[in-house]
Amino acid sequence: MVERLLGLAAVVLAFVIAGLALFWQPEMPERALPRAPLVAGGDFTLQSAGGPVSLADYRGKLVLLYFGYTYCPDICPTSLAAAAEGLKQLTPEEQAAVAMIFVSVDPKRDTPERLKEYVAFFHPAIVGVTGSAEVIAEVARRYGVIYAEQKVETAGGGYVVDHSSDTFIIAPDGAVVAKIAHATPPDQVAHAIRKYLNQP
């Protein structure tokens, strides 16, 4: 008798638990999911073939910022070509409101004159800049950019530079607002530019 009662109690308890699982939905306080913070960024001054260039010089424009180097065998040409094609999809008025800065992470080989020739191949809106190894490292750190030399005997100078490949979108007020991933198609680059151009 006792065993039957215990068995019946177990069955009732199982039904109660199942019912609670199905129908009881306690209200949980809403918690926003954490978002990865954007990089600090900030102003900098580096050297172009035409003289010093500061990010602040472009205040009022949307700026695309990319870190790379002219001897890069594939990543940089792909990113710059996509950015250039994206810029070409903009209207003349939109293009006038956008600038692009290419920061060399290979100051040993990339002179301002070499950078000028290199970026001109892609788009006239791109300005190539460089500086001392220490200054480049400090700017890269603030933008969360990682780069490192790797010995490759067949490469020019005997090394290549592994580096981050995102393109930063910097709002007209100088704040970093987004990143464009490497290999983003040109039409999506143009879409991203327009999105932030049209923000109040």
Side-chain angles (χ1 to χ4, degrees), residues 24-193:
W24 185 53
Q25 297 180 354
E27 287 192 19
M28 300 294 289
E30 284 191 19
R31 291 190 305 167
L33 292 174
R35 297 180 63 183
L38 286 170
V39 295
D43 194 23
F44 55 81
T45 300
L46 294 167
Q47 297 298 316
S48 74
V53 170
S54 298
L55 180 60
D57 296 339
Y58 298 95
R59 196 59 55 89
K61 286 191 174 189
L62 191 77
V63 177
L64 303 181
L65 179 65
Y66 185 81
F67 292 77
Y69 68 113
T70 66
Y71 287 85
C72 185
D74 48 17
I75 301 297
C76 295
T78 303
S79 293
L80 290 176
E85 289 303 312
L87 288 169
K88 290 173 185 175
Q89 292 183 22
L90 304 178
T91 67
E93 292 76 18
E94 289 170 331
Q95 287 192 42
V98 181
M100 183 167 185
I101 301 174
F102 178 83
V103 178
S104 173
V105 293
D106 186 14
K108 288 191 289 188
R109 292 182 293 189
D110 284 343
T111 64
E113 290 72 25
R114 179 178 173 84
L115 284 162
K116 180 180 179 181
E117 292 179 6
Y118 182 76
V119 297
F121 176 79
F122 296 97
H123 197 282
I126 306 175
V127 177
V129 295
T130 186
S132 68
E134 294 76 18
V135 171
I136 296 293
E138 193 274 329
V139 175
R141 179 189 58 76
R142 285 193 278 119
Y143 282 86
V145 171
I146 300 170
Y147 62 97
E149 289 184 14
Q150 303 291 343
K151 289 185 178 180
V152 175
E153 296 300 329
T154 56
Y159 68 93
V160 296
V161 184
D162 291 341
H163 61 90
S164 306
S165 56
D166 290 330
T167 300
F168 298 92
I169 299 179
I170 301 173
D173 64 358
V176 178
V177 291
K179 291 191 289 187
I180 300 173
H182 172 66
T184 297
D187 61 330
Q188 292 184 29
V189 172
H191 176 77
I193 293 171

